[in-house]
Amino acid sequence: MKTRYYDTEDLIAALATPWGESALAIIRTSGLNCIETIAACFLGQERLIKAESGTLHHDYFIDPETQEHLDEIVAAVYRAPSGYTGQESLEIFCHGSLPGIQRILETLHAAGFRDARPGEFTMRAFLNGKFDLTSAEAVQEIVSAKSKKAQALALGRLSGNLFHEIDTIKHELVTILSMIEVQLDYAEDEIEESIELPITAILDLREKIAQLAATYSTGKLFSEGARVVLAGRTNSGKSSLFNLFLKEDRSIVSEIHGTTRDYIESWVTIRGIPVKLFDTAGYRESMDSIEEEGIRRSAKVAESADLILYLIDGSLGFTEENKNDLKQLSGEVEIILVWNKADIAAKKQPADSIAVSAVNGTGFSVLEENICTKLMGSGASVFRDSEIMIDSLRQKELLDRAAESLSEAVKTVEDKMPLDVTAPEISDAIDALGELTGEITSADILDRVFSGFCVGK
Ligand SMILES: Nc1nc2c(ncn2[C@@H]2O[C@H](COP(=O)(O)OP(=O)(O)OP(=O)(O)O)[C@@H](O)[C@H]2O)c(=O)[nH]1
Ligand SMILES: [Mg+2]
């Protein structure tokens, strides 16, 4: 069902913490006359009505009908324009008891509150000018960040670093556009000299925009992570390496061939990149139908991976079987050859492989570095140069549109076309950037941005 945010002032409430048993839970509320409405459900009703913004109140949440105490709580009061949403709001810190939370929410419904939709608090904050759209998007990006790096990058966007970068570019474009408009507004004979368009400046701005757009794949990698699969013949040491990545004894390791019969997955962080790592059933002519099915499933996981770590048993050397496996695997998916058991390797190591010992950890950090570089691909250099990254497709598409329009603008000048052909291109770039920061919005844009949020955010 499509989410729509029609009303921005009616009373909304939502549990902002996970639905489950916990020490504390937070119920968030917001809307016009929120405090006065909720005060009827407080034992200290009068005190709450007079409460100043930014104050905490220890109280009892009651059923106004029966006066029954539903929970002992602390309430945080925010009066417009302070607080998260910029409108009157109140947060209830209650016990994390499921029946308790349910009773409070039911009482709020009876008092006139409705369930908040995903992202509705943040949307109200955006509409009340608390932050721009890139910062609003960063709120959910922080919540869903899977690594410290992703969280830090999103925090930078929340503090407005992306907004400032884009806003600066936009202002420079507005200056250029107004130069053109002056020229267009007055007949040529009224202005002594016709202006020289600052092509280099436009190209520089285009380059800045393109560089920001280029951070998307890396930004997305840090926020969403990648799928990395350990593959190879039985007994090559996949499970041993899997456990080394996890720093725990998770997968069964044994010298018996065919120990792992299905695939196992776990999230790990490799140099800040969240990675869903898969240990799989080793390839061999299988002994039974169950193992065969395990190998088939493992091969399927490898097909959909972002990266395969193909392990070669260094004590056996690079075999015909390895060669055949690699032939089968070579397709779309990137592969790193891992020369495992380097500590007891007797044979010659293939030149393009990384020597590792899953037993004593030799070569592990070189392997991590290689995984990181392979996953980032061409984004690796962008990553080193950039503090600001984007991880939203919406932002990437708008940056691409702005860069494209500026390229068109430059082309019109090079082709000696009249200025009234150049102006709309620059104007479109400005619009794209305005849409990015949320200066230009529509219900559809807001739906797209906020429907991916958690309820209570
Ligand atoms: N010396 C040495 N032994 C290793 C190394 N890595 C794994 N082994 C040993 O090799 C054997 C097989 O290891 P596993 O990790 O179970 O191998 P696997 O690839 O998961 O095997 P399957 O699950 O059967 O596909 C075990 O006895 C490990 O202790 C290594 O780097 N050096
Ligand atoms: Mg195994």
Side-chain angles (χ1 to χ4, degrees):
M1 201 183 74
K2 212 159 164 31
T3 325
R4 284 274 172 194
Y5 305 89
Y6 292 114
D7 201 324
T8 54
E9 294 199 321
D10 60 345
L11 295 165
I12 53 171
L15 179 68
T17 42
W19 176 246
E21 203 176 292
S22 57
L24 287 176
I26 302 173
I27 293 169
R28 201 173 217 182
T29 66
S30 191
L32 204 63
N33 296 327
C34 169
I35 298 166
E36 214 174 279
T37 312
I38 239 175
C41 312
F42 276 58
L43 195 62
Q45 182 172 356
E46 292 305 316
R47 198 163 49 102
L48 193 71
I49 289 172
K50 290 190 202 116
E52 281 180 32
S53 188
T55 53
L56 290 175
H57 301 269
H58 172 232
D59 211 321
Y60 284 90
F61 196 93
I62 59 167
D63 180 336
E65 298 281 316
T66 62
Q67 298 292 304
E68 185 193 353
H69 290 197
L70 301 184
D71 200 3
E72 186 175 351
I73 55 108
V74 170
V77 170
Y78 305 99
R79 296 201 181 267
S82 70
Y84 186 70
T85 56
Q87 62 184 181
E88 208 169 273
S89 57
L90 188 132
E91 283 164 3
I92 300 164
F93 302 86
C94 57
H95 293 101
S97 134
L98 292 180
I101 294 166
Q102 209 154 12
R103 290 174 86 193
I104 294 177
L105 286 172
E106 281 166 10
T107 310
L108 288 173
H109 284 161
F113 285 80
R114 67 163 169 85
D115 286 332
R117 300 192 180 99
E120 200 166 4
F121 292 93
T122 309
M123 191 206 60
R124 289 187 177 191
F126 163 73
L127 291 173
N128 285 324
K130 283 279 170 175
F131 32 55
D132 77 291
L133 205 49
T134 65
S135 303
E137 283 174 300
V139 171
Q140 181 59 24
E141 289 157 6
I142 289 178
V143 174
S144 58
K146 290 189 183 62
S147 74
K148 286 185 206 160
K149 182 73 194 172
Q151 190 263 358
L153 286 167
L155 196 61
R157 289 191 289 271
L158 177 65
S159 70
N161 62 9
L162 178 59
F163 170 75
H164 287 299
E165 182 84 2
I166 289 166
D167 206 44
T168 310
I169 295 172
K170 209 184 85 200
H171 273 104
E172 290 183 38
L173 288 173
V174 168
T175 309
I176 294 169
L177 184 63
S178 47
M179 275 168 64
I180 299 176
E181 277 168 353
V182 166
Q183 184 85 6
L184 289 171
D185 282 352
Y186 297 96
E188 273 175 28
D189 49 16
E190 285 179 49
I191 294 182
E192 306 217 325
E193 265 177 61
S194 65
I195 54 146
E196 182 95 354
L197 261 192
I199 296 289
T200 327
I202 297 176
L203 283 172
D204 280 354
L205 295 171
R206 200 209 83 93
E207 183 54 27
K208 274 189 190 165
I209 294 170
Q211 270 178 11
L212 267 181
T215 64
Y216 173 63
S217 60
T218 313
K220 191 162 155 278
L221 177 65
F222 277 103
S223 67
E224 289 180 11
R227 291 160 66 91
V228 176
V229 169
L230 291 157
R233 292 267 125 195
T234 54
N235 224 40
S236 54
K238 300 177 296 299
S239 301
S240 307
L241 194 57
F242 183 74
N243 291 344
L244 192 62
F245 273 109
L246 264 61
K247 300 185 183 68
E248 66 172 283
D249 196 9
R250 170 78 190 281
S251 193
I252 303 171
V253 168
S254 93
E255 70 289 349
I256 301 165
H257 286 251
T259 304
T260 311
R261 307 189 94 200
D262 202 345
Y263 63 84
I264 307 173
E265 60 192 70
S266 186
W267 280 101
V268 293
T269 303
I270 301 175
R271 308 267 159 115
I273 302 174
V275 166
K276 197 179 227 186
L277 190 67
F278 293 81
D279 180 22
T280 62
Y283 304 134
R284 67 164 171 173
E285 295 313 316
S286 77
M287 301 295 143
D288 60 57
S289 58
I290 298 172
E291 188 180 353
E292 227 164 55
E293 179 59 18
I295 295 174
R296 200 188 61 77
R297 290 184 186 198
S298 296
K300 233 178 144 61
V301 169
E303 269 171 34
S304 63
D306 297 299
L307 177 66
I308 295 171
L309 307 181
Y310 183 85
L311 270 71
I312 305 160
D313 184 335
S315 66
L316 301 176
F318 188 69
T319 62
E320 264 316 297
E321 289 162 330
N322 293 145
K323 213 163 141 187
N324 289 334
D325 289 348
L326 287 167
K327 242 190 237 158
Q328 299 259 329
L329 287 172
S330 66
E332 296 286 285
V333 189
E334 288 265 18
I335 298 175
I336 291 181
L337 289 184
V338 181
W339 180 250
N340 190 37
K341 307 195 187 181
D343 53 310
I344 53 165
K347 311 278 177 151
K348 193 169 168 296
Q349 181 191 346
D352 50 355
S353 64
I354 296 162
V356 165
S357 168
V359 163
N360 67 22
T362 313
F364 187 66
S365 97
V366 179
L367 177 62
E368 282 193 312
E369 184 67 39
N370 271 268
I371 292 171
C372 193
T373 311
K374 267 273 200 291
L375 288 178
M376 283 206 252
S378 57
S381 58
V382 176
F383 174 62
R384 269 188 288 278
D385 298 343
S386 179
E387 286 287 297
I388 306 171
M389 284 199 194
I390 58 161
D391 78 357
S392 132
L393 183 61
R394 186 191 78 87
Q395 294 171 0
K396 156 99 167 64
E397 285 171 350
L398 289 166
L399 288 168
D400 284 345
R401 187 180 118 196
E404 178 68 19
S405 298
L406 291 184
S407 298
E408 287 298 319
V410 170
K411 203 163 159 286
T412 62
V413 178
E414 284 169 352
D415 292 349
K416 308 220 179 323
M417 293 173 83
L419 281 179
D420 52 5
V421 183
T422 313
E425 298 295 352
I426 295 183
S427 179
D428 184 62
I430 294 169
D431 285 352
L433 298 181
E435 201 176 304
L436 209 161
T437 57
E439 252 168 79
I440 304 170
T441 47
S442 68
D444 275 349
I445 296 172
L446 295 183
D447 263 356
R448 231 173 101 185
V449 170
F450 291 104
S451 56
F453 272 56
C454 306
V455 171
K457 249 294 159 212

